[in-house]
Amino acid sequence: MALTDFLNADEQRRIEQAIEAAERDTSGEICVHVTRRCKADPVKAAERVFNRLGLYRTRRRNAVLVLVAYESRRFAIIGDSGINEAVPSGFWESEKDTLAAYLAQGRAADGLCRVVAEIGSSLRQYFPPDEVDNNELSNQITYDDNSEDNEA
């Protein structure tokens, strides 16, 4: 299966544009990763993907990963240590609720665009853009077809 089984090319472009727009408001980095299945705890799977993709390499340790396992109907939103040290507990709950509602309606692309925008807006107060800010991570959606990282 291909990523287009879940998000068509136009939807992928919209999400990547949402990431680019959201990152203008923050030095934080936002990544969206899509996989087919996740049999394990989605947060643990997201942590493995986060590390495998090297998202911890940002200068301020302020990357966010939104992982969606579409066949399993699971997802997770996690932040790097710099974010987790700066934000209050429950910081991701609103975004999780928003994404869950959109996914339940079968509107994954709309939900991902909205959540990405909300994450960018929320991160701005903790990680505003700065003069040395550059795009440290790609804005492209990452995808794996059947990663062992997500199956455990």
Side-chain angles (χ1 to χ4, degrees):
M1 283 189 147
L3 176 56
T4 53
D5 293 328
F6 179 60
L7 298 168
N8 66 41
D10 181 57
E11 291 170 327
Q12 291 175 51
R13 230 177 344 273
R14 284 181 38 225
I15 294 165
E16 290 166 359
Q17 289 169 344
I19 293 169
E20 182 180 343
E23 288 181 356
R24 283 188 213 119
D25 292 334
T26 179
S27 63
E29 295 288 331
I30 304 166
C31 297
V32 173
H33 183 82
V34 175
T35 189
R36 289 177 56 205
R37 290 187 292 269
C38 174
K39 293 180 183 175
D41 172 7
V43 172
K44 291 195 183 307
E47 289 169 351
R48 285 190 294 274
V49 169
F50 190 98
N51 288 323
R52 189 182 76 223
L53 296 175
L55 303 184
Y56 55 84
R57 293 187 183 120
T58 59
R59 183 173 55 89
R60 297 180 69 192
R61 301 292 304 257
N62 58 354
V64 176
L65 175 67
V66 180
L67 176 135
V68 177
Y70 61 92
E71 284 185 1
S72 303
R73 298 182 179 266
R74 294 178 168 202
F75 71 92
I77 302 172
I78 63 169
D80 201 351
S81 61
I83 292 173
N84 294 335
E85 291 168 4
V87 302
S89 66
F91 184 73
W92 304 114
E93 295 311 309
S94 173
E95 284 81 8
K96 289 177 184 175
D97 292 344
T98 297
L99 185 55
Y102 276 93
L103 291 174
Q105 296 170 15
R107 298 174 53 209
D110 293 334
L112 286 165
C113 287
R114 177 148 179 215
V115 163
V116 163
E118 288 178 4
I119 289 170
S121 179
S122 296
L123 286 180
R124 183 165 197 231
Q125 76 182 80
Y126 300 98
F127 298 96
D130 57 37
E131 55 281 344
V132 294
D133 187 39
N134 58 17
N135 194 14
E136 296 179 80
L137 301 172
S138 171
N139 295 337
Q140 291 186 325
I141 298 168
T142 57
Y143 173 75
D144 57 59
D145 187 37
N146 194 16
S147 170
E148 291 179 20
D149 287 339
N150 299 323
E151 291 292 322

